[in-house]
Amino acid sequence: MSDTLTLAKQLISRHSLTPVDDGCLDIIGARLAPLHFNLEKMRHGEVDNLWARRGDASPVICFAGHTDVVPTGPIDKWDSDPFAPTVRDGVLYGRGAADMKGSIASFITATERFVAEYPKHRGSIAMLLTSDEEGVAVDGTVRVVEALHARSEKIDYCIVGEPTCVSKLGDTIKNGRRGSLSGKLTVKGVQGHIAYPHLVKNPIHLAAPAIAELAATTWDTGNEYFPPTSWQISNIHGGTGATNVVPGTVEILFNFRHSTASTTESLKSKLHGILDKHGLEYDLEWEMSGKPYLTARGDMVDAVAGAIRQVTGIETELSTSGGTSDGRFIADICPQVIELGPLNATIHKINECVAVADLDALSEIYYLILVKLLNK
């Protein structure tokens, strides 16, 4: 077994169901300490976080990720125990193999090799790891970023090990993510007997024209890196359950997945304008779970793309698709954030897996990124 595979199996064997770390960070810390990393554990609530740094100079390149995993689902549906990592036909099976204990193992072995070959490298290497990414994500990476910001500690480059690839290792990297802005809209009417329409105001009927306009609105046209902003309803609830009662309110849950072509303020303003135009009486609660961020083409993208090309021969594709990641927090203190990890085809599924060869290739890619950015 390669060293990367051995470490990946160690991590997968830990029952680190979010937000539990179950000793993963101790395993990682034991590998980093001999490399002269300063290990700083930051526990918030039930969440274990680790900020590890080797060196005190700039530039700082950080590997970021999470040790927690999602629930396994029915264990009897798995071909092998999800916490007993198993290799079959060159493929490693286990919960977290692709998302993202395999990436973390590759982080570590790439760093060990780089430090052994370039012990006096310029700049600093850091790792930001949490056990609260798959859950509510309120005591994890965001807390570490707040602590670093409070002491004016910045990161120049960050590689998040989320699984990004579609069909072959290296075919896709994420150079940004859309923002996520949610709202709970309550449209008010007047409840009453359905047989006396002149005595009621049906909030569902009142809201319908506004919903139609919101659904048809072009919020922006996107840009070179992002698709147009999307507004979608996720839930509608109104009524008492009876067939003869007009409800007094209707509740609508919706979400914007928005590009950098729009701001939170512009989206809120435009939506309120449409509701007001339709004369609705309403309450609206907003929740922003992530701002959009973007890393344009530059030295970070060039280094990552070049490393992928050297190892795989693939010209990688830049993408901002998909949901949110902890990169949205790190972007507050780091101008260049890239996500690069293994194939995402089996993440969160039964029989989650990663090709063993891809783990070693990923370690090689991470190593070359370090060479390109810290050994100029």
Side-chain angles (χ1 to χ4, degrees), residues 237-295:
H237 177 74
T240 64
T243 61
N244 61 350
V245 179
V246 169
T249 61
V250 60
E251 183 181 276
I252 301 164
L253 303 183
F254 63 85
N255 178 266
F256 284 104
R257 289 301 166 103
H258 67 99
S259 72
T260 52
S262 289
T263 65
T264 299
E265 292 72 23
S266 69
L267 294 173
K268 287 182 177 181
S269 176
K270 196 169 183 178
L271 187 138
H272 275 288
I274 292 172
L275 297 178
D276 293 340
K277 183 179 76 173
H278 286 273
L280 299 180
E281 183 181 358
Y282 65 91
D283 292 326
L284 181 51
E285 300 174 20
W286 291 99
E287 180 184 2
M288 187 188 71
S289 57
K291 297 181 293 185
Y293 70 91
L294 174 68
T295 299

Side-chain angles (χ1 to χ4, degrees), residues 133-157:
E133 195 275 345
E134 297 290 10
V136 293
V138 297
D139 286 322
T141 298
V142 63
R143 296 291 192 185
V144 180
V145 168
E146 288 171 353
L148 296 178
H149 179 72
R151 62 195 194 202
S152 300
E153 193 168 352
K154 298 184 181 298
I155 300 169
D156 296 285
Y157 309 104

Side-chain angles (χ1 to χ4, degrees), residues 39-50:
L39 306 178
E40 186 176 355
K41 284 195 172 181
M42 301 182 185
R43 184 171 175 85
H44 292 275
E46 298 179 339
V47 176
D48 290 301
N49 304 299
L50 176 65

Side-chain angles (χ1 to χ4, degrees), residues 13-219:
S13 68
R14 313 302 287 194
H15 290 62
S16 57
L17 291 169
T18 190
V20 175
D21 170 71
D22 196 31
C24 290
L25 292 179
D26 291 334
I27 294 172
I28 294 164
R31 299 287 289 253
L32 295 178
L35 304 180
H36 304 292
F37 273 80
N38 178 54
L39 306 178
E40 186 176 355
K41 284 195 172 181
M42 301 182 185
R43 184 171 175 85
H44 292 275
E46 298 179 339
V47 176
D48 290 301
N49 304 299
L50 176 65
W51 171 247
R53 178 166 173 172
R54 171 189 160 87
D56 55 12
S58 295
V60 181
I61 181 168
C62 174
F63 292 107
H66 59 91
T67 60
D68 59 322
V69 298
V70 296
T72 63
I75 292 181
D76 60 351
K77 300 293 185 182
W78 286 69
D79 293 336
S80 53
D81 187 328
F83 294 108
T86 303
V87 175
R88 296 191 298 274
D89 299 321
V91 177
L92 173 63
Y93 292 85
R95 177 57 87 219
D99 188 15
M100 56 169 287
K101 293 179 176 180
S103 295
I104 292 175
S106 297
F107 288 165
I108 302 298
T109 56
T111 301
E112 288 172 335
R113 177 182 171 191
F114 178 77
V115 169
E117 295 184 12
Y118 303 98
K120 296 183 179 180
H121 62 82
R122 76 187 189 108
S124 303
I125 305 173
M127 294 203 186
L128 195 170
L129 302 171
T130 182
S131 64
D132 183 33
E133 195 275 345
E134 297 290 10
V136 293
V138 297
D139 286 322
T141 298
V142 63
R143 296 291 192 185
V144 180
V145 168
E146 288 171 353
L148 296 178
H149 179 72
R151 62 195 194 202
S152 300
E153 193 168 352
K154 298 184 181 298
I155 300 169
D156 296 285
Y157 309 104
C158 184
I159 302 166
V160 184
E162 291 290 349
T164 58
C165 300
V166 179
S167 58
K168 292 182 179 179
L169 180 69
D171 64 8
T172 307
I173 61 175
K174 305 287 187 181
N175 67 318
R177 293 278 191 165
R178 292 174 294 177
S180 179
L181 175 64
S182 297
K184 182 172 79 170
L185 170 66
T186 303
V187 177
K188 301 176 183 180
V190 175
Q191 180 177 320
H193 198 294
I194 207 163
Y196 297 90
H198 59 291
L199 299 178
V200 301
K201 289 174 63 177
N202 193 318
I204 300 174
H205 294 180
L206 295 173
I211 291 173
E213 182 171 348
L214 291 167
T217 295
T218 298
W219 303 93

